[in-house]
mmCIF file of all heavy atoms in Angstrom:
data_model
loop_
_atom_site.group_PDB
_atom_site.id
_atom_site.type_symbol
_atom_site.label_atom_id
_atom_site.label_comp_id
_atom_site.label_asym_id
_atom_site.label_seq_id
_atom_site.Cartn_x
_atom_site.Cartn_y
_atom_site.Cartn_z
ATOM 1 N N ARG Q 190 4.674 -8.338 -10.643
ATOM 2 C CA ARG Q 190 6.110 -8.111 -10.781
ATOM 3 C C ARG Q 190 6.670 -9.081 -11.802
ATOM 4 O O ARG Q 190 6.281 -10.247 -11.856
ATOM 5 C CB ARG Q 190 6.840 -8.282 -9.441
ATOM 6 C CG ARG Q 190 6.626 -7.119 -8.495
ATOM 7 C CD ARG Q 190 7.472 -7.247 -7.248
ATOM 8 N NE ARG Q 190 7.318 -6.067 -6.389
ATOM 9 C CZ ARG Q 190 8.028 -4.963 -6.505
ATOM 10 N NH1 ARG Q 190 8.968 -4.892 -7.456
ATOM 11 N NH2 ARG Q 190 7.836 -3.940 -5.717
ATOM 12 N N SER Q 191 7.609 -8.596 -12.605
ATOM 13 C CA SER Q 191 8.216 -9.427 -13.636
ATOM 14 C C SER Q 191 9.237 -10.362 -13.008
ATOM 15 O O SER Q 191 10.122 -9.926 -12.268
ATOM 16 C CB SER Q 191 8.904 -8.546 -14.687
ATOM 17 O OG SER Q 191 9.700 -9.322 -15.551
ATOM 18 N N LYS Q 192 9.126 -11.669 -13.302
ATOM 19 C CA LYS Q 192 10.114 -12.619 -12.802
ATOM 20 C C LYS Q 192 11.451 -12.448 -13.526
ATOM 21 O O LYS Q 192 12.495 -12.812 -12.996
ATOM 22 C CB LYS Q 192 9.598 -14.055 -12.979
ATOM 23 C CG LYS Q 192 8.462 -14.418 -12.042
ATOM 24 C CD LYS Q 192 8.132 -15.883 -12.136
ATOM 25 C CE LYS Q 192 7.057 -16.271 -11.118
ATOM 26 N NZ LYS Q 192 6.742 -17.706 -11.179
ATOM 27 N N VAL Q 193 11.401 -11.894 -14.726
ATOM 28 C CA VAL Q 193 12.626 -11.718 -15.512
ATOM 29 C C VAL Q 193 13.366 -10.466 -15.068
ATOM 30 O O VAL Q 193 14.555 -10.483 -14.736
ATOM 31 C CB VAL Q 193 12.307 -11.648 -17.020
ATOM 32 C CG1 VAL Q 193 13.592 -11.406 -17.822
ATOM 33 C CG2 VAL Q 193 11.615 -12.929 -17.463
ATOM 34 N N ARG Q 194 12.644 -9.325 -15.034
ATOM 35 C CA ARG Q 194 13.286 -8.040 -14.713
ATOM 36 C C ARG Q 194 13.137 -7.650 -13.243
ATOM 37 O O ARG Q 194 13.848 -6.781 -12.760
ATOM 38 C CB ARG Q 194 12.693 -6.937 -15.603
ATOM 39 C CG ARG Q 194 12.923 -7.151 -17.082
ATOM 40 C CD ARG Q 194 12.386 -5.975 -17.887
ATOM 41 N NE ARG Q 194 10.957 -5.805 -17.712
ATOM 42 C CZ ARG Q 194 10.035 -6.471 -18.395
ATOM 43 N NH1 ARG Q 194 10.401 -7.374 -19.282
ATOM 44 N NH2 ARG Q 194 8.753 -6.257 -18.200
ATOM 45 N N GLY Q 195 12.176 -8.250 -12.560
ATOM 46 C CA GLY Q 195 12.026 -7.971 -11.144
ATOM 47 C C GLY Q 195 11.233 -6.716 -10.818
ATOM 48 O O GLY Q 195 10.889 -6.488 -9.673
ATOM 49 N N GLY Q 196 10.940 -5.878 -11.802
ATOM 50 C CA GLY Q 196 10.232 -4.629 -11.548
ATOM 51 C C GLY Q 196 8.730 -4.791 -11.597
ATOM 52 O O GLY Q 196 8.194 -5.855 -11.924
ATOM 53 N N ARG Q 197 8.040 -3.707 -11.266
ATOM 54 C CA ARG Q 197 6.575 -3.726 -11.278
ATOM 55 C C ARG Q 197 6.050 -3.784 -12.712
ATOM 56 O O ARG Q 197 6.654 -3.243 -13.632
ATOM 57 C CB ARG Q 197 6.025 -2.479 -10.583
ATOM 58 C CG ARG Q 197 6.342 -2.416 -9.094
ATOM 59 C CD ARG Q 197 5.709 -1.189 -8.463
ATOM 60 N NE ARG Q 197 6.101 -1.030 -7.077
ATOM 61 C CZ ARG Q 197 5.517 -1.647 -6.069
ATOM 62 N NH1 ARG Q 197 4.504 -2.459 -6.289
ATOM 63 N NH2 ARG Q 197 5.932 -1.447 -4.832
ATOM 64 N N ILE Q 198 4.901 -4.426 -12.865
ATOM 65 C CA ILE Q 198 4.225 -4.497 -14.155
ATOM 66 C C ILE Q 198 3.064 -3.517 -14.125
ATOM 67 O O ILE Q 198 2.229 -3.551 -13.224
ATOM 68 C CB ILE Q 198 3.701 -5.929 -14.423
ATOM 69 C CG1 ILE Q 198 4.888 -6.895 -14.544
ATOM 70 C CG2 ILE Q 198 2.844 -5.965 -15.676
ATOM 71 C CD1 ILE Q 198 4.466 -8.352 -14.638
ATOM 72 N N PHE Q 199 3.023 -2.616 -15.089
ATOM 73 C CA PHE Q 199 1.982 -1.583 -15.101
ATOM 74 C C PHE Q 199 0.831 -1.911 -16.051
ATOM 75 O O PHE Q 199 -0.256 -1.373 -15.897
ATOM 76 C CB PHE Q 199 2.605 -0.229 -15.463
ATOM 77 C CG PHE Q 199 3.606 0.248 -14.435
ATOM 78 C CD1 PHE Q 199 4.963 0.077 -14.644
ATOM 79 C CD2 PHE Q 199 3.179 0.819 -13.249
ATOM 80 C CE1 PHE Q 199 5.886 0.493 -13.690
ATOM 81 C CE2 PHE Q 199 4.092 1.243 -12.287
ATOM 82 C CZ PHE Q 199 5.448 1.075 -12.513
ATOM 83 N N ASP Q 200 1.072 -2.772 -17.027
ATOM 84 C CA ASP Q 200 0.019 -3.163 -17.961
ATOM 85 C C ASP Q 200 -0.827 -4.269 -17.323
ATOM 86 O O ASP Q 200 -0.319 -5.366 -17.080
ATOM 87 C CB ASP Q 200 0.636 -3.659 -19.263
ATOM 88 C CG ASP Q 200 -0.415 -4.146 -20.255
ATOM 89 O OD1 ASP Q 200 -1.627 -3.962 -19.993
ATOM 90 O OD2 ASP Q 200 -0.024 -4.714 -21.290
ATOM 91 N N PRO Q 201 -2.110 -4.015 -17.020
ATOM 92 C CA PRO Q 201 -2.936 -5.038 -16.361
ATOM 93 C C PRO Q 201 -3.011 -6.354 -17.126
ATOM 94 O O PRO Q 201 -3.196 -7.408 -16.527
ATOM 95 C CB PRO Q 201 -4.316 -4.369 -16.265
ATOM 96 C CG PRO Q 201 -4.030 -2.904 -16.292
ATOM 97 C CD PRO Q 201 -2.849 -2.754 -17.206
ATOM 98 N N GLU Q 202 -2.838 -6.301 -18.448
ATOM 99 C CA GLU Q 202 -2.888 -7.534 -19.235
ATOM 100 C C GLU Q 202 -1.584 -8.315 -19.158
ATOM 101 O O GLU Q 202 -1.503 -9.440 -19.643
ATOM 102 C CB GLU Q 202 -3.253 -7.226 -20.689
ATOM 103 C CG GLU Q 202 -4.718 -6.900 -20.874
ATOM 104 C CD GLU Q 202 -5.626 -7.960 -20.252
ATOM 105 O OE1 GLU Q 202 -5.611 -9.113 -20.728
ATOM 106 O OE2 GLU Q 202 -6.348 -7.655 -19.274
ATOM 107 N N ALA Q 203 -0.568 -7.705 -18.553
ATOM 108 C CA ALA Q 203 0.702 -8.412 -18.340
ATOM 109 C C ALA Q 203 0.765 -9.026 -16.944
ATOM 110 O O ALA Q 203 1.755 -9.663 -16.586
ATOM 111 C CB ALA Q 203 1.877 -7.468 -18.551
ATOM 112 N N TYR Q 204 -0.309 -8.814 -16.139
ATOM 113 C CA TYR Q 204 -0.361 -9.491 -14.844
ATOM 114 C C TYR Q 204 -0.361 -11.004 -15.086
ATOM 115 O O TYR Q 204 -0.665 -11.484 -16.173
ATOM 116 C CB TYR Q 204 -1.650 -9.143 -14.087
ATOM 117 C CG TYR Q 204 -1.803 -7.729 -13.602
ATOM 118 C CD1 TYR Q 204 -3.000 -7.302 -13.021
ATOM 119 C CD2 TYR Q 204 -0.771 -6.791 -13.707
ATOM 120 C CE1 TYR Q 204 -3.163 -6.003 -12.556
ATOM 121 C CE2 TYR Q 204 -0.940 -5.489 -13.246
ATOM 122 C CZ TYR Q 204 -2.144 -5.107 -12.676
ATOM 123 O OH TYR Q 204 -2.314 -3.824 -12.219
ATOM 124 N N SER Q 205 -0.084 -11.761 -14.031
ATOM 125 C CA SER Q 205 -0.146 -13.222 -14.132
ATOM 126 C C SER Q 205 -1.064 -13.758 -13.024
ATOM 127 O O SER Q 205 -0.680 -13.778 -11.861
ATOM 128 C CB SER Q 205 1.255 -13.815 -13.979
ATOM 129 O OG SER Q 205 1.224 -15.220 -14.076
ATOM 130 N N PRO Q 206 -2.308 -14.180 -13.387
ATOM 131 C CA PRO Q 206 -2.912 -14.174 -14.724
ATOM 132 C C PRO Q 206 -3.351 -12.763 -15.118
ATOM 133 O O PRO Q 206 -3.430 -11.874 -14.273
ATOM 134 C CB PRO Q 206 -4.118 -15.101 -14.547
ATOM 135 C CG PRO Q 206 -4.509 -14.927 -13.112
ATOM 136 C CD PRO Q 206 -3.213 -14.751 -12.365
ATOM 137 N N PRO Q 207 -3.637 -12.552 -16.420
ATOM 138 C CA PRO Q 207 -4.039 -11.217 -16.897
ATOM 139 C C PRO Q 207 -5.319 -10.720 -16.217
ATOM 140 O O PRO Q 207 -6.154 -11.511 -15.781
ATOM 141 C CB PRO Q 207 -4.269 -11.431 -18.400
ATOM 142 C CG PRO Q 207 -3.540 -12.681 -18.735
ATOM 143 C CD PRO Q 207 -3.592 -13.537 -17.506
ATOM 144 N N LEU Q 208 -5.455 -9.399 -16.131
ATOM 145 C CA LEU Q 208 -6.636 -8.822 -15.493
ATOM 146 C C LEU Q 208 -7.910 -9.264 -16.187
ATOM 147 O O LEU Q 208 -8.926 -9.506 -15.522
ATOM 148 C CB LEU Q 208 -6.538 -7.291 -15.495
ATOM 149 C CG LEU Q 208 -7.705 -6.543 -14.840
ATOM 150 C CD1 LEU Q 208 -7.859 -6.938 -13.390
ATOM 151 C CD2 LEU Q 208 -7.520 -5.038 -14.970
ATOM 152 N N SER Q 209 -7.888 -9.395 -17.507
ATOM 153 C CA SER Q 209 -9.101 -9.798 -18.232
ATOM 154 C C SER Q 209 -9.575 -11.175 -17.775
ATOM 155 O O SER Q 209 -10.775 -11.409 -17.621
ATOM 156 C CB SER Q 209 -8.846 -9.793 -19.744
ATOM 157 O OG SER Q 209 -7.770 -10.656 -20.080
ATOM 158 N N TRP Q 210 -8.630 -12.104 -17.529
ATOM 159 C CA TRP Q 210 -9.028 -13.422 -17.025
ATOM 160 C C TRP Q 210 -9.609 -13.291 -15.621
ATOM 161 O O TRP Q 210 -10.631 -13.911 -15.290
ATOM 162 C CB TRP Q 210 -7.825 -14.379 -16.984
ATOM 163 C CG TRP Q 210 -8.226 -15.706 -16.408
ATOM 164 C CD1 TRP Q 210 -8.733 -16.774 -17.091
ATOM 165 C CD2 TRP Q 210 -8.228 -16.064 -15.018
ATOM 166 N NE1 TRP Q 210 -9.045 -17.788 -16.204
ATOM 167 C CE2 TRP Q 210 -8.749 -17.376 -14.933
ATOM 168 C CE3 TRP Q 210 -7.852 -15.407 -13.846
ATOM 169 C CZ2 TRP Q 210 -8.891 -18.038 -13.716
ATOM 170 C CZ3 TRP Q 210 -7.997 -16.068 -12.634
ATOM 171 C CH2 TRP Q 210 -8.508 -17.369 -12.573
ATOM 172 N N ALA Q 211 -8.960 -12.500 -14.777
ATOM 173 C CA ALA Q 211 -9.430 -12.327 -13.397
ATOM 174 C C ALA Q 211 -10.837 -11.741 -13.366
ATOM 175 O O ALA Q 211 -11.672 -12.137 -12.549
ATOM 176 C CB ALA Q 211 -8.460 -11.444 -12.622
ATOM 177 N N VAL Q 212 -11.106 -10.787 -14.255
ATOM 178 C CA VAL Q 212 -12.432 -10.179 -14.317
ATOM 179 C C VAL Q 212 -13.482 -11.215 -14.693
ATOM 180 O O VAL Q 212 -14.574 -11.272 -14.092
ATOM 181 C CB VAL Q 212 -12.439 -8.993 -15.309
ATOM 182 C CG1 VAL Q 212 -13.866 -8.535 -15.604
ATOM 183 C CG2 VAL Q 212 -11.620 -7.830 -14.753
ATOM 184 N N GLU Q 213 -13.180 -12.036 -15.673
ATOM 185 C CA GLU Q 213 -14.136 -13.068 -16.074
ATOM 186 C C GLU Q 213 -14.362 -14.067 -14.945
ATOM 187 O O GLU Q 213 -15.482 -14.523 -14.711
ATOM 188 C CB GLU Q 213 -13.645 -13.781 -17.339
ATOM 189 C CG GLU Q 213 -13.700 -12.903 -18.579
ATOM 190 C CD GLU Q 213 -15.076 -12.277 -18.784
ATOM 191 O OE1 GLU Q 213 -16.085 -13.026 -18.701
ATOM 192 O OE2 GLU Q 213 -15.147 -11.059 -19.014
ATOM 193 N N ALA Q 214 -13.292 -14.414 -14.222
ATOM 194 C CA ALA Q 214 -13.444 -15.323 -13.087
ATOM 195 C C ALA Q 214 -14.310 -14.681 -12.011
ATOM 196 O O ALA Q 214 -15.136 -15.346 -11.374
ATOM 197 C CB ALA Q 214 -12.067 -15.684 -12.526
ATOM 198 N N ALA Q 215 -14.138 -13.381 -11.807
ATOM 199 C CA ALA Q 215 -14.925 -12.666 -10.803
ATOM 200 C C ALA Q 215 -16.408 -12.670 -11.140
ATOM 201 O O ALA Q 215 -17.260 -12.763 -10.248
ATOM 202 C CB ALA Q 215 -14.419 -11.232 -10.685
ATOM 203 N N ARG Q 216 -16.725 -12.570 -12.406
ATOM 204 C CA ARG Q 216 -18.121 -12.477 -12.830
ATOM 205 C C ARG Q 216 -18.874 -13.790 -12.657
ATOM 206 O O ARG Q 216 -20.102 -13.820 -12.771
ATOM 207 C CB ARG Q 216 -18.185 -12.011 -14.281
ATOM 208 C CG ARG Q 216 -17.819 -10.537 -14.452
ATOM 209 C CD ARG Q 216 -17.684 -10.152 -15.908
ATOM 210 N NE ARG Q 216 -17.455 -8.716 -16.062
ATOM 211 C CZ ARG Q 216 -16.843 -8.155 -17.100
ATOM 212 N NH1 ARG Q 216 -16.403 -8.923 -18.098
ATOM 213 N NH2 ARG Q 216 -16.665 -6.853 -17.152
#
Side-chain angles (χ1 to χ4, degrees):
R190 285 186 176 273
S191 169
K192 289 188 176 181
V193 178
R194 298 184 299 276
R197 294 183 186 276
I198 295 173
F199 296 99
D200 177 8
E202 285 309 295
Y204 292 174
S205 180
L208 181 59
S209 58
W210 177 88
V212 168
E213 290 307 312
R216 288 171 175 155

